[in-house]
Amino acid sequence: MDLTLVDGDIGKISLHPDIAYQSSQFFEVLNVRRLRQSSYALVGGHIDWESADGRFNASVWGKNLADKFYFTSRVDLLAGFGFDYNHIGNPRMYGVTVGAKF
């Protein structure tokens, strides 16, 4: 869902929220319980501004705003001996992007 907040002489300001949901999952074929990832949701989005003439733009953005701890993959490297590889998802991130057309 995108929402235009302002569209006038100062340019266009729009809001772009983002929610991504991942259901509970196993990363191994054998469904090893300790390698299970519980379901989670990631919230993010960006607020964009574009000048009325289209020459300048800026965006304030954020990802994983709730700072949810989650795994993107998990593997038992020693097949049952409990030496696990866990790849952790990205933490909260935010930033600003600016641009100009010449």
Side-chain angles (χ1 to χ4, degrees), residues 4-83:
T4 299
L5 303 174
V6 175
D7 193 357
D9 293 339
I10 65 165
K12 183 177 182 179
I13 299 174
S14 54
L15 174 66
H16 308 272
D18 180 36
I19 299 174
Y21 176 77
Q22 175 62 52
S23 62
S24 176
Q25 63 181 333
F26 289 95
F27 292 108
E28 289 277 322
V29 175
L30 300 175
N31 295 342
V32 178
R33 293 216 43 91
R34 76 174 186 282
L35 300 178
R36 180 178 170 266
Q37 170 64 63
S38 299
S39 61
Y40 61 91
L42 300 177
V43 178
H46 52 101
I47 300 172
D48 299 335
W49 169 78
E50 183 177 0
S51 63
D53 63 3
R55 290 186 58 204
F56 303 98
N57 61 66
S59 179
V60 177
W61 54 267
K63 299 178 181 182
N64 191 9
L65 294 175
D67 203 20
K68 176 68 181 166
F69 183 84
Y70 64 99
F71 297 103
T72 59
S73 66
R74 303 181 84 180
V75 179
D76 181 354
L77 294 176
L78 294 178
F81 291 103
F83 184 73

